[in-house]
Amino acid sequence: WRIRDKFKKGELANLTFMFGYDINRGKVSINSDEARVVRHIFDSYINGKGTTEIARSVEKMSIKTRFDGYWTPKKIIHMLNNEKYTGNAMLQKKFVSDHLTKKIKYNKGQLPRFYAENTHPAIIDIETFEKAQEILKMNYKKMQHKTPTTSRYAFLGLIKCENCDKSYRRKAVKSSTSWCCSTYLIKGRKACPAKNIPEKTLISLIKSVLRIKEIDNSVKEKIKAITVSKIGTIIFEMHDESRVERTFRIDEGRGYYDSHAQICKDNSSTP
């Protein structure tokens, strides 16, 4: 109740850490080195760079995040959405739903929220923040309309990297959408040389392997796992214990696969 009462008065009540700031006994001051990173992230995004490219550029600045140290597209988006970098604060965005378990939930209307101005020093101006929000919304809409939901998520969690055994993630940029090894996305090609797969090629491959016209929820019922090698071989492991191998290559930035498939079952093979 003490914290909620402070929220009503427009006061920061439980801010203990935030990248870009030093917080000591409730007093908030700007950390100059980290603030430089914050401004770089907002400026880069407004000038057309993607979140993956920005994350890699920040890694080169040798300034780590407050926790695990790695910069990811998800962390960049979280920062771009944080209004506190303008010196203002939306209070009570989260709340403790159970005081015994201390479980925290996002406030989606269960409690009132309060917008307070000039609660602490600003790192960026409000115009920069609002411009970033416009681009975020525009890119989100493009991603949602580019590919049907079933195509986006029918094979989510199925794709693994043979090189580092990490899952593949969907990467959407202005001109294209592809699936990439999560290690590659976070640490770059030096950490994992796995091949990226254009989403259109991946969808075509799955349609061909399963002999279906459209991607639907039956994909996971038939395919157990999809493994991608660094040399461009894609292995489909089926629930019926069969395996289908396809070779994936890049032709002038466009993905394609060869027409030959190897289908193996019970230690026998059929071309």
Side-chain angles (χ1 to χ4, degrees):
W1 288 108
R2 177 183 60 82
I3 291 174
R4 292 180 185 178
D5 186 58
K6 284 194 172 186
F7 284 159
K8 291 178 183 178
K9 295 176 181 177
E11 300 177 14
L12 290 173
N14 56 352
L15 187 63
T16 56
F17 54 83
M18 182 177 169
F19 187 87
Y21 292 98
D22 292 322
I23 302 169
N24 185 21
R25 295 183 179 180
K27 292 184 178 181
V28 184
S29 60
I30 294 176
N31 181 306
S32 59
D33 289 335
E34 293 182 355
R36 178 168 55 91
V37 175
V38 175
R39 296 187 186 103
H40 167 75
I41 288 172
F42 275 89
D43 290 342
S44 298
Y45 192 70
I46 288 173
N47 287 306
K49 291 186 178 180
T51 54
T52 300
E53 184 181 1
I54 295 172
R56 289 177 185 166
S57 69
V58 176
E59 284 284 346
K60 294 178 182 179
M61 298 173 75
S62 299
I63 297 179
K64 301 298 183 181
T65 65
R66 289 290 177 91
F67 296 105
D68 60 12
Y70 292 113
W71 288 94
T72 64
K74 186 176 180 179
K75 290 177 181 177
I76 299 299
I77 292 173
H78 178 75
M79 182 174 288
L80 292 169
N81 275 315
N82 197 333
E83 82 291 335
K84 289 186 178 68
Y85 289 114
T86 65
N88 306 317
M90 180 65 74
L91 306 175
Q92 202 158 253
K93 289 190 283 189
K94 299 177 183 177
F95 68 99
V96 177
S97 61
D98 188 328
H99 291 279
L100 294 176
T101 62
K102 305 297 183 183
K103 186 176 182 180
I104 297 175
K105 287 187 177 181
Y106 281 95
N107 184 4
K108 297 181 179 180
Q110 299 96 323
L111 295 172
R113 298 204 298 178
F114 307 93
Y115 187 77
E117 297 182 341
N118 302 317
T119 55
H120 56 284
I123 292 179
I124 60 167
D125 56 63
I126 191 66
E127 291 79 12
T128 299
F129 179 76
E130 290 178 346
K131 181 63 177 176
Q133 299 312 293
E134 291 175 7
I135 299 172
L136 280 167
K137 290 178 181 177
M138 181 179 64
N139 288 341
Y140 179 77
K141 288 180 179 179
K142 284 182 179 179
M143 184 180 70
Q144 292 299 306
H145 292 294
K146 185 173 263 188
T147 310
T149 303
T150 51
S151 296
R152 289 201 304 270
Y153 300 114
F155 36 85
L156 186 64
L158 289 178
I159 312 172
K160 294 282 186 180
C161 173
E162 184 183 62
N163 185 63
C164 66
D165 201 38
K166 296 293 184 181
S167 296
Y168 264 57
R169 297 180 185 174
R170 191 173 188 267
K171 174 187 173 184
V173 294
K174 292 181 180 179
S175 58
S176 64
T177 303
S178 59
W179 285 77
C180 315
C181 169
S182 55
T183 301
Y184 168 84
L185 283 176
I186 296 172
K187 300 180 181 180
R189 188 167 294 280
K190 289 183 179 180
C192 184
K195 296 289 185 180
N196 298 338
I197 311 172
E199 186 167 77
K200 289 183 178 179
T201 301
L202 182 59
I203 290 173
S204 296
L205 273 167
I206 293 174
K207 287 180 180 179
S208 174
V209 169
L210 296 182
R211 296 172 183 171
I212 56 177
K213 293 183 178 181
E214 297 295 335
I215 297 293
D216 54 34
N217 294 327
S218 67
V219 170
K220 288 186 176 180
E221 295 175 2
K222 299 175 181 177
I223 299 177
K224 181 165 60 176
I226 301 173
T227 304
V228 184
S229 73
K230 63 182 180 181
I231 61 173
T233 299
I234 303 177
I235 303 170
F236 295 86
E237 295 182 45
M238 305 299 182
H239 284 290
D240 65 359
E241 304 304 325
S242 63
R243 286 160 51 95
V244 180
E245 294 186 12
R246 291 288 172 92
T247 302
F248 166 74
R249 290 174 284 179
I250 297 291
D251 179 22
E252 297 180 354
R254 294 172 296 178
Y256 72 94
Y257 59 94
D258 63 11
S259 57
H260 178 71
Q262 292 181 341
I263 305 176
C264 308
K265 187 174 182 180
D266 298 328
N267 297 322
S268 63
S269 62
T270 307

